[in-house]
Amino acid sequence: MITVADIRRVLPHRYPMLLVDAVTELVPGERITARKAVSVNEPWYAGLPDDLRAEQLAYPEVLLVESWCQAAGVLATWTDPNPDVLAGKVMLFGGISDVEFLRPVLPGDVLEHRVTVQRALPDTVMFEGDCVVGDEVVMTVSRVVMAFRPAEVLRPAPQGS
Amino acid sequence: MTGIVNPVLDKEDLRRTVAEVLDVEVGDVTDEASFVDDLEVDSLMALEVVVVLEKKYGVRMREAELKQVTCLDSAYRLMLEKLAA
Amino acid sequence: MATTCSPVREGIRVEAPGTTTITIAEDNPIFAGHYPGFPIFPGVGLVECVHRSALAGTPDHRDLELAAIESTRFIGPTFPGDELTVELDWKARDGEWTCVAVISSPRGEAAKVRLRYREGGTS
């Protein structure tokens, strides 16, 4: 059984940007199924006006993608975790291609991310899959590319260089 | 071998696919235009092109072969080789 | 109707049609968890900046909803306090709209993003 403690062991992300709550299935190098419960108690819901309609309280689409990618990150790093972003190799977002949003996600929904490895190369992994709420597909992902690069690439380059 | 139909490898179809992945105009993808040098594409995107082609034509390349693909012509030659294998 | 809920609530300044700027606040809650001791603005944060800039100037003030992220290229890292500039333009395409954008930080290009929108209330 993979617990949230295991997730925190392999991912550097922390509150409020740790957007994977549980892993329900993991086949290293192949696929993962992971969950994230969407709550109105997340910081993005702070200070909003009181008269908003439901669709105005839909979960931000980019965070659906971030949550899905973090599930992919657990899959990618499961066998060789490096949660320390300051040293060694760090996992970078290479690019996203064709992510479709099929229906709004609201607080109370539980996201089930289904991620499969499309192609794995030494320092680059490509993923595809989708996200469902119950039995309804809410998002499809054609391709997400993640690259493993030395942590130094994240160092802020000197101003104006 | 009967029954196995090799998709006819249409170079123009390949050119369109490459242009789509690299997010450039089809006309920019000339036969010799280097993905990285001429089309200013980073190595990650050049890799993506090859992976998309693998998936589209149902072939699998070894890592060394992936690095050979630097322009449309080299992609076309490698795909022909793979499809003929 | 687009959601009001966003991880990037900093104000969008419309400098000219198709050009906006947004300064990423040092105290944006994202940075506490991305990453502790090493704040770096996430790639999806850049996509959100483009999304909000797009909504700040839709063609003929249409009510649009995000239908897809068609492509993104993450080029350079961005950090707390960076002033980001978004250059975007709209194209109508068979009943939907695509928004092509380049987002830059003081150190140069940070990302290229292409988004697709549909008319609001049709999803």
Side-chain angles (χ1 to χ4, degrees), chain A residues 16-81:
Chain A
M17 282 298 286
L18 177 51
L19 302 178
V20 178
D21 296 328
V23 172
T24 53
E25 186 200 15
L26 174 64
V27 178
E30 274 183 41
R31 68 177 190 282
I32 189 171
T33 305
R35 285 219 184 104
K36 184 233 170 343
V38 172
S39 162
V40 72
N41 203 37
E42 299 184 36
W44 348 105
Y45 287 97
L48 292 181
D50 292 334
D51 57 358
L52 295 182
R53 294 202 303 278
E55 62 264 26
Q56 294 174 295
L57 292 165
Y59 201 62
E61 295 88 346
V62 296
L63 292 182
L64 297 179
V65 176
E66 175 71 17
S67 178
W68 189 90
C69 289
Q70 288 182 18
V74 173
L75 176 59
T77 59
W78 187 256
T79 42
D80 177 18

Side-chain angles (χ1 to χ4, degrees), chain B residues 35-52:
Chain B
F35 296 156
V36 175
D37 303 330
D38 303 327
L39 300 179
E40 290 155 9
V41 154
D42 61 36
S43 56
L44 211 50
M45 271 175 82
L47 201 55
E48 259 188 270
V49 167
V50 183
V51 170
V52 168

Side-chain angles (χ1 to χ4, degrees), chain C:
Chain C
M1 188 70 184
T3 182
T4 309
C5 177
S6 169
V8 179
R9 293 258 279 287
E10 288 83 338
I12 299 268
R13 296 181 293 276
V14 180
E15 308 292 347
T19 304
T20 68
T21 53
I22 178 169
T23 302
I24 302 307
E26 310 259 354
D27 61 1
N28 184 312
I30 282 180
F31 292 125
H34 190 285
Y35 297 96
F38 184 66
I40 179 166
F41 196 54
V44 295
L46 295 173
V47 176
E48 182 71 0
C49 289
V50 172
H51 175 46
R52 292 201 44 230
S53 301
L55 292 182
T58 59
D60 316 320
H61 306 297
R62 289 168 195 274
D63 169 20
L64 297 181
E65 260 170 32
L66 187 57
I69 299 175
E70 293 196 336
S71 73
T72 68
R73 286 295 152 236
F74 298 111
I75 300 164
T78 49
F79 302 99
D82 276 357
E83 178 178 279
L84 304 178
T85 301
V86 180
E87 308 275 352
L88 60 88
D89 62 71
W90 290 93
K91 289 190 183 60
R93 199 173 59 173
D94 47 54
E96 291 193 323
W97 296 86
T98 57
C99 169
V100 179
V102 176
I103 185 164
S104 309
S105 77
R107 291 168 300 286
E109 277 185 2
K112 290 183 177 162
V113 177
R114 190 170 76 242
L115 304 177
R116 192 172 74 245
Y117 289 85
R118 55 178 165 245
E119 298 285 347
T122 54
S123 67

Side-chain angles (χ1 to χ4, degrees), chain B residues 8-35:
Chain B
V8 170
L9 184 55
D10 166 7
K11 195 172 196 180
E12 291 320 307
D13 192 31
L14 202 68
R15 196 189 309 276
R16 267 191 304 278
T17 305
V18 169
E20 200 180 293
V21 176
L22 299 183
D23 229 357
V24 297
E25 295 304 322
V26 180
D28 297 347
V29 184
T30 62
D31 287 2
E32 275 88 29
S34 149
F35 296 156

